[in-house]
Every structure is written in structure tokens, then in C-alpha cells.
Amino acid sequence: MEFIRQIERLQLLNKLVKERRTGSPEELAERLGIGRRQLYVYIEYLKDFGMDIQFSRKLDGFVYAEQHELKIEVRFELLDSKSRTEINGGESLNLYTPCYFYALTEDSLVI
């Protein structure tokens, strides 16, 4: 369940940055239960999603440079064989990938 723990940390990180309650990198890493190095990995994840996150010396914490909304959610859903085939582009990978992870963008489905 490490994957779910990572999602929960990203949700908390997003919330704290949005509310401007992160504190120093050391304080934030401790609050998330990770090391400082791992904190910057999570920050890079947010940047990969287009979130412009920066450290403010004035506020002594991380802030979003632009007011974007990031919604992070996890959904588990049983898929029938037709849906699995559509997600896999016609291939059945049941033996290799019992779980399917995908992201919805505004334009398309990303697997």
C-alpha cells in the first residue's frame, strides 16, 4: 500500500502549500514523515503536473506562484473484459498487470 501512502502525502503537500502552512523544508519533510531529499522528489511530481511551486523566503515556506487547482484522487473500479481490452488497446495483459493505472486529461486518456 505504499502507492496509497504516496498519494496521501501528495494530497497533504498540496493542501499545505495551498494554505501556505508548509514551514521550512525540514519542517515540511518531518510533517510528511519523509526525508528532505524525498520532499524534493514530491515537489518535482507536482511540477510535472504543471504546478509552479516555489520557496518563499519572506513566508519561510513553499507557495504556488500561480493559483491553479490540483485535484488528487484515487478510485478503484472493477473492469469488465471489454473495458480492459479497450484500455490496453486490444491486448489482454491480465497475467502481467492485474491493476490498471490511468490518468484523465482534458483531451484524452493517458495510461
Side-chain angles (χ1 to χ4, degrees):
M1 292 308 204
E2 183 61 28
F3 174 73
I4 293 174
R5 202 170 305 136
Q6 289 175 347
I7 296 295
E8 289 171 343
R9 285 183 186 130
L10 277 172
Q11 289 173 325
L12 179 57
L13 174 59
N14 179 53
K15 178 180 186 265
L16 293 172
V17 172
K18 208 163 80 173
E19 295 173 355
R20 296 186 172 196
R21 298 186 311 127
T22 64
S24 70
E26 293 80 11
E27 292 169 337
L28 180 56
E30 184 177 330
R31 195 167 188 181
L32 295 173
I34 57 177
R36 183 178 171 166
R37 185 176 183 186
Q38 187 66 36
L39 169 65
Y40 284 100
V41 170
Y42 282 105
I43 289 172
E44 284 302 313
Y45 287 156
L46 292 178
K47 287 182 178 183
D48 289 344
F49 285 111
M51 303 301 288
D52 189 6
I53 185 171
Q54 302 171 356
F55 185 79
S56 168
R57 289 185 179 155
K58 182 179 178 182
L59 298 173
D60 190 33
F62 291 94
V63 295
Y64 287 129
E66 298 178 23
Q67 293 299 321
H68 291 291
E69 186 70 25
L70 179 66
K71 182 178 180 182
I72 303 170
E73 65 181 37
V74 177
R75 183 178 78 185
F76 294 95
E77 180 179 344
L78 291 175
L79 301 175
D80 59 24
S81 61
K82 182 178 185 243
S83 298
R84 289 193 312 255
T85 303
E86 288 173 2
I87 289 173
N88 289 323
E91 296 287 327
S92 179
L93 300 175
N94 251 357
L95 298 174
Y96 307 109
T97 55
C99 297
Y100 298 90
F101 298 101
Y102 59 90
L104 290 174
T105 66
E106 290 181 18
D107 301 326
S108 62
L109 176 69
V110 179
I111 301 174

mmCIF file of all heavy atoms in Angstrom, residues 80-110:
data_model
loop_
_atom_site.group_PDB
_atom_site.id
_atom_site.type_symbol
_atom_site.label_atom_id
_atom_site.label_comp_id
_atom_site.label_asym_id
_atom_site.label_seq_id
_atom_site.Cartn_x
_atom_site.Cartn_y
_atom_site.Cartn_z
ATOM 1 N N ASP A 80 -14.724 -4.779 -16.588
ATOM 2 C CA ASP A 80 -15.082 -5.991 -17.323
ATOM 3 C C ASP A 80 -14.035 -6.223 -18.422
ATOM 4 O O ASP A 80 -13.183 -5.375 -18.672
ATOM 5 C CB ASP A 80 -16.493 -5.901 -17.893
ATOM 6 C CG ASP A 80 -16.675 -4.725 -18.842
ATOM 7 O OD1 ASP A 80 -15.681 -4.243 -19.416
ATOM 8 O OD2 ASP A 80 -17.824 -4.284 -18.999
ATOM 9 N N SER A 81 -14.096 -7.369 -19.067
ATOM 10 C CA SER A 81 -13.060 -7.715 -20.051
ATOM 11 C C SER A 81 -13.054 -6.755 -21.238
ATOM 12 O O SER A 81 -11.995 -6.445 -21.770
ATOM 13 C CB SER A 81 -13.221 -9.156 -20.527
ATOM 14 O OG SER A 81 -14.469 -9.320 -21.158
ATOM 15 N N LYS A 82 -14.207 -6.249 -21.643
ATOM 16 C CA LYS A 82 -14.257 -5.295 -22.756
ATOM 17 C C LYS A 82 -13.521 -4.003 -22.396
ATOM 18 O O LYS A 82 -12.728 -3.485 -23.177
ATOM 19 C CB LYS A 82 -15.700 -4.989 -23.125
ATOM 20 C CG LYS A 82 -15.816 -4.040 -24.308
ATOM 21 C CD LYS A 82 -17.274 -3.794 -24.680
ATOM 22 C CE LYS A 82 -17.310 -2.952 -25.929
ATOM 23 N NZ LYS A 82 -17.912 -1.687 -25.761
ATOM 24 N N SER A 83 -13.738 -3.485 -21.191
ATOM 25 C CA SER A 83 -13.065 -2.264 -20.745
ATOM 26 C C SER A 83 -11.560 -2.470 -20.641
ATOM 27 O O SER A 83 -10.780 -1.606 -21.033
ATOM 28 C CB SER A 83 -13.603 -1.809 -19.388
ATOM 29 O OG SER A 83 -14.965 -1.492 -19.476
ATOM 30 N N ARG A 84 -11.144 -3.632 -20.114
ATOM 31 C CA ARG A 84 -9.710 -3.916 -20.012
ATOM 32 C C ARG A 84 -9.071 -3.950 -21.391
ATOM 33 O O ARG A 84 -7.966 -3.445 -21.593
ATOM 34 C CB ARG A 84 -9.475 -5.234 -19.288
ATOM 35 C CG ARG A 84 -9.775 -5.178 -17.807
ATOM 36 C CD ARG A 84 -9.234 -6.395 -17.077
ATOM 37 N NE ARG A 84 -9.564 -7.651 -17.729
ATOM 38 C CZ ARG A 84 -10.491 -8.510 -17.313
ATOM 39 N NH1 ARG A 84 -11.194 -8.235 -16.243
ATOM 40 N NH2 ARG A 84 -10.702 -9.635 -17.947
ATOM 41 N N THR A 85 -9.761 -4.548 -22.349
ATOM 42 C CA THR A 85 -9.244 -4.618 -23.722
ATOM 43 C C THR A 85 -9.122 -3.229 -24.321
ATOM 44 O O THR A 85 -8.135 -2.900 -24.963
ATOM 45 C CB THR A 85 -10.151 -5.507 -24.594
ATOM 46 O OG1 THR A 85 -10.238 -6.791 -23.992
ATOM 47 C CG2 THR A 85 -9.594 -5.647 -25.995
ATOM 48 N N GLU A 86 -10.109 -2.364 -24.085
ATOM 49 C CA GLU A 86 -10.070 -1.000 -24.616
ATOM 50 C C GLU A 86 -8.910 -0.208 -24.017
ATOM 51 O O GLU A 86 -8.212 0.512 -24.727
ATOM 52 C CB GLU A 86 -11.390 -0.286 -24.342
ATOM 53 C CG GLU A 86 -12.530 -0.797 -25.190
ATOM 54 C CD GLU A 86 -13.866 -0.204 -24.795
ATOM 55 O OE1 GLU A 86 -13.919 0.646 -23.879
ATOM 56 O OE2 GLU A 86 -14.877 -0.596 -25.399
ATOM 57 N N ILE A 87 -8.683 -0.342 -22.719
ATOM 58 C CA ILE A 87 -7.590 0.374 -22.058
ATOM 59 C C ILE A 87 -6.245 -0.100 -22.584
ATOM 60 O O ILE A 87 -5.329 0.678 -22.788
ATOM 61 C CB ILE A 87 -7.666 0.210 -20.522
ATOM 62 C CG1 ILE A 87 -8.860 1.002 -19.988
ATOM 63 C CG2 ILE A 87 -6.383 0.661 -19.853
ATOM 64 C CD1 ILE A 87 -9.134 0.800 -18.530
ATOM 65 N N ASN A 88 -6.133 -1.389 -22.840
ATOM 66 C CA ASN A 88 -4.869 -1.954 -23.314
ATOM 67 C C ASN A 88 -4.715 -1.885 -24.824
ATOM 68 O O ASN A 88 -3.785 -2.459 -25.377
ATOM 69 C CB ASN A 88 -4.727 -3.413 -22.861
ATOM 70 C CG ASN A 88 -4.493 -3.506 -21.391
ATOM 71 O OD1 ASN A 88 -3.801 -2.681 -20.821
ATOM 72 N ND2 ASN A 88 -5.088 -4.491 -20.744
ATOM 73 N N GLY A 89 -5.607 -1.240 -25.520
ATOM 74 C CA GLY A 89 -5.505 -1.101 -26.962
ATOM 75 C C GLY A 89 -5.687 -2.410 -27.699
ATOM 76 O O GLY A 89 -5.071 -2.652 -28.730
ATOM 77 N N GLY A 90 -6.505 -3.310 -27.160
ATOM 78 C CA GLY A 90 -6.773 -4.572 -27.822
ATOM 79 C C GLY A 90 -5.971 -5.730 -27.272
ATOM 80 O O GLY A 90 -6.222 -6.872 -27.596
ATOM 81 N N GLU A 91 -4.998 -5.466 -26.435
ATOM 82 C CA GLU A 91 -4.167 -6.522 -25.848
ATOM 83 C C GLU A 91 -4.700 -6.876 -24.464
ATOM 84 O O GLU A 91 -5.113 -6.007 -23.714
ATOM 85 C CB GLU A 91 -2.719 -6.059 -25.711
ATOM 86 C CG GLU A 91 -2.034 -5.769 -27.019
ATOM 87 C CD GLU A 91 -1.690 -7.026 -27.783
ATOM 88 O OE1 GLU A 91 -1.394 -8.043 -27.139
ATOM 89 O OE2 GLU A 91 -1.729 -6.985 -29.019
ATOM 90 N N SER A 92 -4.656 -8.119 -24.116
ATOM 91 C CA SER A 92 -5.023 -8.544 -22.776
ATOM 92 C C SER A 92 -3.749 -8.812 -21.986
ATOM 93 O O SER A 92 -2.974 -9.690 -22.327
ATOM 94 C CB SER A 92 -5.885 -9.806 -22.815
ATOM 95 O OG SER A 92 -6.202 -10.188 -21.501
ATOM 96 N N LEU A 93 -3.526 -8.023 -20.973
ATOM 97 C CA LEU A 93 -2.313 -8.154 -20.167
ATOM 98 C C LEU A 93 -2.628 -8.636 -18.762
ATOM 99 O O LEU A 93 -1.917 -8.329 -17.823
ATOM 100 C CB LEU A 93 -1.587 -6.801 -20.104
ATOM 101 C CG LEU A 93 -1.151 -6.210 -21.438
ATOM 102 C CD1 LEU A 93 -0.561 -4.826 -21.231
ATOM 103 C CD2 LEU A 93 -0.149 -7.109 -22.123
ATOM 104 N N ASN A 94 -3.705 -9.359 -18.603
ATOM 105 C CA ASN A 94 -4.138 -9.817 -17.289
ATOM 106 C C ASN A 94 -3.043 -10.505 -16.489
ATOM 107 O O ASN A 94 -2.941 -10.329 -15.288
ATOM 108 C CB ASN A 94 -5.318 -10.779 -17.431
ATOM 109 C CG ASN A 94 -6.592 -10.161 -16.947
ATOM 110 O OD1 ASN A 94 -6.588 -9.050 -16.451
ATOM 111 N ND2 ASN A 94 -7.676 -10.873 -17.104
ATOM 112 N N LEU A 95 -2.235 -11.314 -17.142
ATOM 113 C CA LEU A 95 -1.199 -12.052 -16.419
ATOM 114 C C LEU A 95 -0.111 -11.141 -15.886
ATOM 115 O O LEU A 95 0.533 -11.441 -14.898
ATOM 116 C CB LEU A 95 -0.571 -13.111 -17.342
ATOM 117 C CG LEU A 95 -1.525 -14.186 -17.843
ATOM 118 C CD1 LEU A 95 -0.813 -15.075 -18.862
ATOM 119 C CD2 LEU A 95 -2.026 -15.022 -16.682
ATOM 120 N N TYR A 96 0.108 -10.020 -16.543
ATOM 121 C CA TYR A 96 1.216 -9.155 -16.176
ATOM 122 C C TYR A 96 0.803 -7.949 -15.356
ATOM 123 O O TYR A 96 1.566 -7.468 -14.537
ATOM 124 C CB TYR A 96 1.938 -8.671 -17.440
ATOM 125 C CG TYR A 96 2.335 -9.808 -18.340
ATOM 126 C CD1 TYR A 96 1.685 -10.016 -19.539
ATOM 127 C CD2 TYR A 96 3.336 -10.689 -17.967
ATOM 128 C CE1 TYR A 96 2.037 -11.071 -20.370
ATOM 129 C CE2 TYR A 96 3.691 -11.751 -18.778
ATOM 130 C CZ TYR A 96 3.039 -11.929 -19.979
ATOM 131 O OH TYR A 96 3.392 -12.974 -20.778
ATOM 132 N N THR A 97 -0.380 -7.432 -15.591
ATOM 133 C CA THR A 97 -0.814 -6.219 -14.894
ATOM 134 C C THR A 97 -2.213 -6.404 -14.318
ATOM 135 O O THR A 97 -3.196 -6.072 -14.964
ATOM 136 C CB THR A 97 -0.822 -5.008 -15.847
ATOM 137 O OG1 THR A 97 -1.625 -5.344 -16.977
ATOM 138 C CG2 THR A 97 0.566 -4.616 -16.286
ATOM 139 N N PRO A 98 -2.305 -6.926 -13.117
ATOM 140 C CA PRO A 98 -3.630 -7.106 -12.520
ATOM 141 C C PRO A 98 -4.288 -5.781 -12.137
ATOM 142 O O PRO A 98 -5.477 -5.724 -11.902
ATOM 143 C CB PRO A 98 -3.346 -7.961 -11.286
ATOM 144 C CG PRO A 98 -1.921 -7.715 -10.977
ATOM 145 C CD PRO A 98 -1.236 -7.420 -12.267
ATOM 146 N N CYS A 99 -3.505 -4.692 -12.070
ATOM 147 C CA CYS A 99 -4.047 -3.377 -11.747
ATOM 148 C C CYS A 99 -3.833 -2.455 -12.936
ATOM 149 O O CYS A 99 -2.825 -2.556 -13.625
ATOM 150 C CB CYS A 99 -3.339 -2.777 -10.536
ATOM 151 S SG CYS A 99 -3.570 -3.735 -9.046
ATOM 152 N N TYR A 100 -4.742 -1.544 -13.155
ATOM 153 C CA TYR A 100 -4.638 -0.581 -14.239
ATOM 154 C C TYR A 100 -4.588 0.811 -13.637
ATOM 155 O O TYR A 100 -5.440 1.176 -12.841
ATOM 156 C CB TYR A 100 -5.837 -0.688 -15.181
ATOM 157 C CG TYR A 100 -5.915 -2.029 -15.844
ATOM 158 C CD1 TYR A 100 -6.631 -3.075 -15.264
ATOM 159 C CD2 TYR A 100 -5.257 -2.260 -17.037
ATOM 160 C CE1 TYR A 100 -6.697 -4.308 -15.874
ATOM 161 C CE2 TYR A 100 -5.317 -3.502 -17.652
ATOM 162 C CZ TYR A 100 -6.037 -4.513 -17.064
ATOM 163 O OH TYR A 100 -6.091 -5.730 -17.665
ATOM 164 N N PHE A 101 -3.590 1.589 -14.000
ATOM 165 C CA PHE A 101 -3.472 2.966 -13.549
ATOM 166 C C PHE A 101 -3.570 3.849 -14.774
ATOM 167 O O PHE A 101 -2.913 3.613 -15.778
ATOM 168 C CB PHE A 101 -2.131 3.203 -12.848
ATOM 169 C CG PHE A 101 -1.974 2.365 -11.619
ATOM 170 C CD1 PHE A 101 -1.220 1.217 -11.645
ATOM 171 C CD2 PHE A 101 -2.599 2.726 -10.442
ATOM 172 C CE1 PHE A 101 -1.081 0.422 -10.519
ATOM 173 C CE2 PHE A 101 -2.476 1.939 -9.315
ATOM 174 C CZ PHE A 101 -1.719 0.796 -9.347
ATOM 175 N N TYR A 102 -4.409 4.826 -14.698
ATOM 176 C CA TYR A 102 -4.529 5.736 -15.818
ATOM 177 C C TYR A 102 -4.885 7.112 -15.295
ATOM 178 O O TYR A 102 -5.335 7.274 -14.163
ATOM 179 C CB TYR A 102 -5.573 5.254 -16.828
ATOM 180 C CG TYR A 102 -6.964 5.075 -16.280
ATOM 181 C CD1 TYR A 102 -7.875 6.116 -16.302
ATOM 182 C CD2 TYR A 102 -7.363 3.860 -15.719
ATOM 183 C CE1 TYR A 102 -9.144 5.950 -15.795
ATOM 184 C CE2 TYR A 102 -8.636 3.690 -15.215
ATOM 185 C CZ TYR A 102 -9.526 4.744 -15.263
ATOM 186 O OH TYR A 102 -10.781 4.581 -14.754
ATOM 187 N N ALA A 103 -4.630 8.120 -16.119
ATOM 188 C CA ALA A 103 -4.937 9.497 -15.767
ATOM 189 C C ALA A 103 -5.801 10.086 -16.859
ATOM 190 O O ALA A 103 -5.562 9.850 -18.041
ATOM 191 C CB ALA A 103 -3.652 10.298 -15.618
ATOM 192 N N LEU A 104 -6.795 10.823 -16.465
ATOM 193 C CA LEU A 104 -7.631 11.510 -17.437
ATOM 194 C C LEU A 104 -7.142 12.937 -17.593
ATOM 195 O O LEU A 104 -6.956 13.641 -16.611
ATOM 196 C CB LEU A 104 -9.091 11.535 -16.972
ATOM 197 C CG LEU A 104 -9.818 10.206 -16.980
ATOM 198 C CD1 LEU A 104 -11.204 10.371 -16.358
ATOM 199 C CD2 LEU A 104 -9.955 9.678 -18.389
ATOM 200 N N THR A 105 -6.891 13.339 -18.804
ATOM 201 C CA THR A 105 -6.597 14.743 -19.091
ATOM 202 C C THR A 105 -7.845 15.314 -19.728
ATOM 203 O O THR A 105 -8.806 14.602 -19.989
ATOM 204 C CB THR A 105 -5.388 14.879 -20.047
ATOM 205 O OG1 THR A 105 -5.752 14.345 -21.303
ATOM 206 C CG2 THR A 105 -4.163 14.172 -19.494
ATOM 207 N N GLU A 106 -7.823 16.600 -20.024
ATOM 208 C CA GLU A 106 -8.999 17.211 -20.637
ATOM 209 C C GLU A 106 -9.266 16.626 -22.015
ATOM 210 O O GLU A 106 -10.392 16.549 -22.461
ATOM 211 C CB GLU A 106 -8.823 18.719 -20.728
ATOM 212 C CG GLU A 106 -8.872 19.400 -19.373
ATOM 213 C CD GLU A 106 -8.731 20.899 -19.491
ATOM 214 O OE1 GLU A 106 -8.930 21.448 -20.588
ATOM 215 O OE2 GLU A 106 -8.429 21.514 -18.474
ATOM 216 N N ASP A 107 -8.214 16.214 -22.716
ATOM 217 C CA ASP A 107 -8.364 15.771 -24.084
ATOM 218 C C ASP A 107 -8.385 14.259 -24.271
ATOM 219 O O ASP A 107 -8.980 13.763 -25.209
ATOM 220 C CB ASP A 107 -7.228 16.333 -24.955
ATOM 221 C CG ASP A 107 -7.221 17.841 -24.936
ATOM 222 O OD1 ASP A 107 -8.311 18.421 -24.864
ATOM 223 O OD2 ASP A 107 -6.143 18.425 -24.982
ATOM 224 N N SER A 108 -7.694 13.523 -23.390
ATOM 225 C CA SER A 108 -7.544 12.106 -23.675
ATOM 226 C C SER A 108 -7.272 11.291 -22.421
ATOM 227 O O SER A 108 -7.095 11.844 -21.344
ATOM 228 C CB SER A 108 -6.380 11.905 -24.655
ATOM 229 O OG SER A 108 -5.181 12.352 -24.055
ATOM 230 N N LEU A 109 -7.227 9.997 -22.621
ATOM 231 C CA LEU A 109 -6.911 9.051 -21.567
ATOM 232 C C LEU A 109 -5.441 8.717 -21.663
ATOM 233 O O LEU A 109 -4.958 8.355 -22.730
ATOM 234 C CB LEU A 109 -7.746 7.781 -21.742
ATOM 235 C CG LEU A 109 -7.478 6.632 -20.791
ATOM 236 C CD1 LEU A 109 -7.944 6.995 -19.392
ATOM 237 C CD2 LEU A 109 -8.205 5.388 -21.256
ATOM 238 N N VAL A 110 -4.709 8.869 -20.570
ATOM 239 C CA VAL A 110 -3.283 8.566 -20.549
ATOM 240 C C VAL A 110 -3.077 7.341 -19.698
ATOM 241 O O VAL A 110 -3.529 7.274 -18.568
ATOM 242 C CB VAL A 110 -2.487 9.754 -19.950
ATOM 243 C CG1 VAL A 110 -1.008 9.415 -19.903
ATOM 244 C CG2 VAL A 110 -2.743 11.008 -20.750
#
